[in-house]
Amino acid sequence: MLMTEVGNAVGELRRSVVDRTEPELSLFMTGVVSVRLPDDLIGLKPSAVSADELSTSSIVVTDLSGQLLDGVLAPAAGGDAHAYVYRNVPEVRGIVNIRSTLALAWAGRGESIPRLPGMAHGFEGPTPVGPAVSSTGEAIGRGIVDTLLASGSPAVLMRGQGLFTTGPNPGEAVRLAAQLEQTMRTVHIARHLGTAEPLDPHATDWLRNRGTQ
């Protein structure tokens, strides 16, 4: 039963990532993708394996404390932070951590990601910045959880760690990560051209409602 669930999770992870365009695929080479499995288990992308190379045999399985239960490869760094989020926010079923140049640079500046016209992410405010955490593991996870719960956002920028996105499944977390990455790139370009104006709430509501019709 466990390997069946892992196999299903791997299939979902592969579909979520491989369906992205090539530039977006490169974002997941050094990032981490995970999925919450039944029986309080976590399927985690292993270290040094790109997301499009994931297979049932390569995926790492841990418990909610981050303890390795199955897998021949080392868990990706940051697995303890994912485990902390899963323990404390049960509705989260998928997490993505992007460590692209843009995500790390944006997080390093300590600036939230604004919304732009045509790029509403399904959240009422900008993507917030979490606290600076010098240690790893649970301290990072605690910073993620505290920021998510305080803001109501499904995503957070953690200084030194990049962008974390969450979702009811890995596919949604991947989609949001790619969308926010595109927003950061767009704002970066816009600032070279002039001033990037944030999207007002009424326009955001209209875009969201249009997308559901």
Side-chain angles (χ1 to χ4, degrees), residues 5-154:
E5 295 292 349
V6 171
N8 292 339
V10 170
E12 183 174 3
L13 287 175
R14 286 177 60 84
R15 287 191 298 274
S16 300
V17 178
V18 176
D19 284 349
R20 299 294 172 183
T21 62
E22 188 60 30
E24 291 170 329
L25 270 177
S26 66
L27 303 179
F28 299 93
M29 294 295 288
T30 58
V32 182
V33 186
S34 70
V35 57
R36 181 163 184 167
L37 302 169
D39 300 323
D40 291 335
L41 299 177
I42 301 170
L44 186 69
K45 174 183 173 290
S47 179
V49 174
S50 63
D52 60 319
E53 295 174 334
L54 286 175
S55 66
T56 303
S57 59
S58 67
I59 203 77
V60 173
V61 179
T62 73
D63 60 19
L64 288 185
S65 68
Q67 181 70 34
L68 180 64
L69 300 178
D70 187 74
V72 297
L73 299 174
D80 288 347
H82 287 227
Y84 186 93
V85 176
Y86 286 125
R87 287 200 306 274
N88 290 276
V89 192
E91 62 268 28
V92 170
R93 311 294 296 185
I95 302 173
V96 170
N97 173 211
I98 288 198
R99 300 169 183 164
S100 66
T101 300
L102 265 177
L104 290 173
W106 208 280
R109 294 184 69 243
E111 180 183 358
S112 60
I113 305 173
R115 293 175 300 171
L116 294 180
M119 302 189 78
H121 328 115
F123 171 54
E124 296 301 325
T127 300
V129 179
V133 179
S134 58
S135 58
T136 59
E138 290 207 358
I140 296 173
R142 187 177 301 111
I144 295 169
V145 168
D146 289 348
T147 305
L148 295 180
L149 295 181
S151 65
S153 170

